[in-house]
Amino acid sequence: MGNIYDGVFRTILNDCRQMIIPVINEIFKEDYTGNEKIEFHPNEHFMDQQDAADQERITDTNFIIYGKKKKKYHLECESSLPDGWMTIRLFEYDAQIALDEGEVINEILTVTFPNTAVLYLRNYKKTPDKMRYVIKTPGGTLEYDVPIMKVQEYTLEDIFSKGLLLLIPFYIFSHEKNFKVYNSNEQRLAELIAEYRSILERLDKLEQEGIIGAFDKRTIIELSGDVIREIAQKYENVQKGIGGMMSGALLETEARTILNRGKDEAKKETALRMLQDGELSIDKIAKYSGLDIAEVELLTGLQ
């Protein structure tokens, strides 16, 4: 799926990597707390081709989470109709990921396959609940499932209650089949706009509560706008309605960031002047300037 959705998925994972933890918990029934270390690995892999040059394949993402145990994961994001080739490509990726980090000791090769899953952005009748690998070897047969997350099955309540914020940019897929109606019916479009306004309000609340940062919120809004522009490009009113609202929210977020940055600079300038006067303790300077004591102590080196 070499398109905008692919890029959005990789971007939110790499820029807001802790958002992957609730998704992993949901798919694999893990109990990660969100404080675990996540180590991303390169997405580019070269598949060995007999009688041909090695072929580069790019996975959506593969990474290790260091919890109670070190576990390797491989996630793919897909929007097209299941055709059987996805399972083949997925196994190729998994085998190459395992081989890239394989270890040979005394001519014994040990490879570790990742925990793999696929996020399907669109649901079709042919979309299965899971994929399955059946590997027949001279030493026996190995079988295991590859779970599938069907993004369209998750409501906004599911997304926010389970912390699946990574899915927000793709939430618009659940409305795709009604774009024609929204585009011609002002009341239905207004309902969609209201739903997206509630998303923005809930993101604001999460930021105020310190659950997500300003950068995380900005990234979700920006990527949501990217997906909306791509998926609804044939529907002008939908584009102007929710697409325009997301663009406005993004500008507002940027303006607020600039304003807050200006306030922080003003606080630092005030603290520096107090330090230069040399009449107040660091504790009182912190109190009067609105900075933390640690921040004031750092400023002492700038005098």
Side-chain angles (χ1 to χ4, degrees):
M1 188 189 64
N3 54 30
I4 184 66
Y5 311 132
D6 214 6
V8 165
F9 182 64
R10 291 180 188 169
T11 297
I12 197 168
L13 279 181
N14 284 286
D15 291 355
C16 309
R17 57 184 54 188
Q18 289 304 126
M19 288 187 187
I20 192 59
I21 294 293
V23 173
I24 292 297
N25 284 343
E26 175 72 8
I27 295 174
F28 295 101
K29 310 306 177 187
E30 299 282 9
D31 57 357
Y32 294 122
T33 64
N35 297 317
E36 291 80 9
K37 175 186 173 183
I38 304 175
E39 180 181 280
F40 279 81
H41 290 185
N43 291 338
E44 295 80 11
H45 299 277
F46 288 88
M47 307 298 179
D48 293 331
Q49 303 290 319
Q50 189 174 13
D51 299 325
D54 289 350
Q55 182 177 1
E56 184 181 19
R57 292 286 181 83
I58 298 177
T59 63
D60 279 347
T61 185
N62 73 93
F63 52 92
I64 290 175
I65 296 179
Y66 292 88
K68 296 176 182 177
K69 294 182 179 179
K70 169 184 170 182
K71 288 189 178 182
K72 189 185 304 182
Y73 293 93
H74 168 210
L75 295 186
E76 291 288 326
C77 185
E78 185 65 39
S79 66
S80 59
L81 180 71
D83 57 4
W85 285 104
M86 180 63 193
T87 310
I88 294 173
R89 293 195 302 272
L90 205 65
F91 181 76
E92 284 184 332
Y93 296 153
D94 285 349
Q96 197 62 50
I97 289 170
L99 191 58
D100 285 348
E101 300 174 20
E103 184 179 49
V104 178
I105 299 177
N106 297 327
E107 299 306 317
I108 298 175
L109 171 63
T110 301
V111 293
T112 302
F113 274 64
N115 296 275
T116 300
V118 181
L119 278 68
Y120 267 100
L121 304 182
R122 292 185 174 101
N123 283 1
Y124 300 93
K125 290 182 179 180
K126 290 179 62 177
T127 306
D129 294 325
K130 62 186 178 182
M131 297 177 178
R132 188 166 181 80
Y133 294 161
V134 179
I135 307 168
K136 297 183 178 181
T137 77
T141 299
L142 172 66
E143 302 182 23
Y144 65 95
D145 293 333
V146 174
I148 288 176
M149 171 179 266
K150 298 178 181 179
V151 174
Q152 287 183 318
E153 292 185 351
Y154 287 84
T155 66
L156 279 183
E157 288 306 315
D158 292 332
I159 288 172
F160 280 97
S161 65
K162 296 182 178 184
L164 304 174
L165 304 183
L166 184 148
L167 302 185
I168 290 177
F170 304 113
Y171 178 69
I172 190 63
F173 277 86
S174 64
H175 289 283
E176 185 180 17
K177 65 181 180 180
N178 293 319
F179 280 170
K180 189 173 181 179
V181 175
Y182 297 141
N183 208 54
S184 59
N185 187 313
E186 291 185 4
Q187 182 177 346
R188 291 296 305 278
L189 179 59
E191 293 171 0
L192 179 62
I193 292 172
E195 188 171 39
Y196 266 82
R197 187 175 292 114
S198 75
I199 291 176
L200 294 174
E201 291 171 353
R202 295 175 83 159
L203 289 174
D204 280 340
K205 184 178 180 182
L206 291 177
E207 182 190 12
Q208 292 165 8
E209 294 173 348
I211 296 174
I212 62 173
F215 178 81
D216 295 331
K217 186 182 79 171
R218 184 190 186 284
T219 301
I220 291 172
I221 294 172
E222 181 178 11
L223 295 178
S224 295
D226 289 344
V227 174
I228 290 167
R229 280 190 294 275
E230 176 68 15
I231 195 173
Q233 55 185 297
K234 296 180 181 179
Y235 302 92
E236 183 179 0
N237 292 333
V238 175
Q239 285 273 18
K240 289 180 179 179
I242 54 173
M245 184 173 63
M246 299 308 279
S247 296
L250 183 61
L251 290 173
E252 180 184 345
T253 299
E254 291 176 343
R256 191 180 304 163
T257 300
I258 292 171
L259 178 61
N260 290 337
R261 189 182 302 129
K263 290 179 179 178
D264 289 342
E265 291 303 317
K267 290 178 182 179
K268 290 177 182 177
E269 289 179 8
T270 300
L272 276 171
R273 286 197 294 271
M274 291 179 181
L275 284 168
Q276 289 167 355
D277 288 343
E279 296 180 358
L280 297 173
S281 67
I282 288 180
D283 287 359
K284 287 187 176 180
I285 291 174
K287 178 180 178 181
Y288 296 150
S289 67
L291 294 175
D292 294 332
I293 292 176
E295 291 177 301
V296 176
E297 289 176 340
L298 285 175
L299 291 175
T300 59
L302 301 178
Q303 296 183 81

